[in-house]
């Protein structure tokens, strides 16, 4: 059954300013700027009034699974507002049984080089996406910390680091070596 109008409203956080131009939203906050494009989503995005403190998302003549696009867009907008106010922080731990994984962070905290993974000589290199910075943990031994404003960039960088350490041609139940996400949170804890 078709629904004539499916809509949702989102309140904007106090210290965040949002600019809407042709379904491209730019969020500015104390930590920086995040830009998100919703051009691929068939929805209307606009401010509810002139104060620009509330966003209204609308989808006309929709049905079934297509309704989900409203909630998806709402989640993206909420994550962007959290990113420019609190930021996103992922912690990754090194897991190894015999050969200690050697990780060096180069290129102004933007590049991760992984050596001695399962005793292999090849150097695995991962470049951080966009504004993500990678640092070694100060208090924990085998840990790196990823920080950034865009949740997609931070989580994709973590995924690239985890996937480059995939164990090939061995039983993965026995060989659990790798670099795995151990914590997901915010830079500024509230």
């Amino acid at each position: 059954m078709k629904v004539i109008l499916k809509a949702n409203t989102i309140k904007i956080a106090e210290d965040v300013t949002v600019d809407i131009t042709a379904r491209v939203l730019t969020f500015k906050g104390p930590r920086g700027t995040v830009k998100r494009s919703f051009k691929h989503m068939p929805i209307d995005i606009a401010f509810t009034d002139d104060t620009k403190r509330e966003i209204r998302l609308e989808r006309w003549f929709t049905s079934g699974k297509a309704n989900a696009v409203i909630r998806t867009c709402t989640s993206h907008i909420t994550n962007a507002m959290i990113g420019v106010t609190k930021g996103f922080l992922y912690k990754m731990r090194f897991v190894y049984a015999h050969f200690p994984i050697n990780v060096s962070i180069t290129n102004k905290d933007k590049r991760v080089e992984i050596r001695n993974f399962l005793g292999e000589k090849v150097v695995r290199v991962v470049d951080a996406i966009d504004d993500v910075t990678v640092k070694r943990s100060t208090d924990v031994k085998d840990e790196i910390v990823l920080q950034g404003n865009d949740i997609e960039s931070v989580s994709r960088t973590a995924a690239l680091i985890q996937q480059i350490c995939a164990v090939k041609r061995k039983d993965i139940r026995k060989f659990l070596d790798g670099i795995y996400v151990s914590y997901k949170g915010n830079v500024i804890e509230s």
Side-chain angles (χ1 to χ4, degrees):
M1 189 187 94
K2 287 259 184 195
V3 178
I4 292 173
L5 174 64
K6 185 89 174 171
N8 192 13
T9 56
I10 309 152
K11 286 200 174 10
I12 298 168
E14 304 87 55
D15 45 358
V16 177
T17 56
V18 182
D19 182 49
I20 302 172
T21 310
R23 286 189 287 184
V24 176
L25 278 69
T26 309
F27 301 86
K28 289 186 182 74
R31 284 187 52 85
T33 307
V34 172
K35 196 172 188 179
R36 291 303 307 263
S37 174
F38 298 105
K39 285 182 179 284
H40 63 287
M41 293 184 177
I43 53 173
D44 297 338
I45 305 173
F47 291 113
T48 52
D49 55 8
D50 292 336
T51 59
K52 295 189 176 183
R53 301 311 305 160
E54 201 171 54
I55 298 172
R56 184 167 170 84
L57 308 170
E58 297 175 337
R59 182 171 171 136
W60 294 88
F61 303 109
T62 180
S63 63
K65 285 186 180 177
N67 291 335
V69 75
I70 295 287
R71 182 71 183 131
T72 302
C73 191
T74 304
S75 298
H76 286 318
I77 290 169
T78 308
N79 282 336
M81 284 193 286
I82 292 168
V84 294
T85 51
K86 295 180 184 175
F88 290 100
L89 178 135
Y90 279 34
K91 291 180 181 176
M92 300 187 82
R93 295 289 300 267
F94 312 157
V95 177
Y96 51 86
H98 186 272
F99 296 102
I101 299 171
N102 185 345
V103 173
S104 58
I105 297 158
T106 58
N107 200 5
K108 297 178 187 162
D109 297 340
K110 290 286 185 187
R111 176 173 285 175
V112 180
E113 293 176 355
I114 302 156
R115 289 180 175 80
N116 200 34
F117 176 71
L118 291 177
E120 295 173 7
K121 294 291 181 201
V122 66
V123 178
R124 293 165 164 80
V125 177
V126 177
D127 287 315
I129 300 165
D130 296 337
D131 67 331
V132 179
T133 58
V134 184
K135 287 187 171 62
R136 273 198 174 275
S137 181
T138 52
D139 50 347
V140 183
K141 185 183 163 226
D142 290 328
E143 188 176 67
I144 54 174
V145 178
L146 284 69
Q147 290 183 356
N149 296 341
D150 188 5
I151 191 168
E152 274 192 16
S153 301
V154 177
S155 56
R156 271 182 61 203
T157 304
L160 289 171
I161 292 169
Q162 182 175 334
Q163 288 170 357
I164 207 163
C165 292
V167 178
K168 303 281 197 285
R169 296 185 202 90
K170 288 185 176 63
D171 186 356
I172 57 169
R173 294 170 298 180
K174 178 72 176 167
F175 291 85
L176 300 170
D177 296 34
I179 302 176
Y180 301 102
V181 175
S182 61
Y183 171 81
K184 296 177 182 180
N186 299 109
V187 178
I188 301 164
E189 294 295 337
S190 55

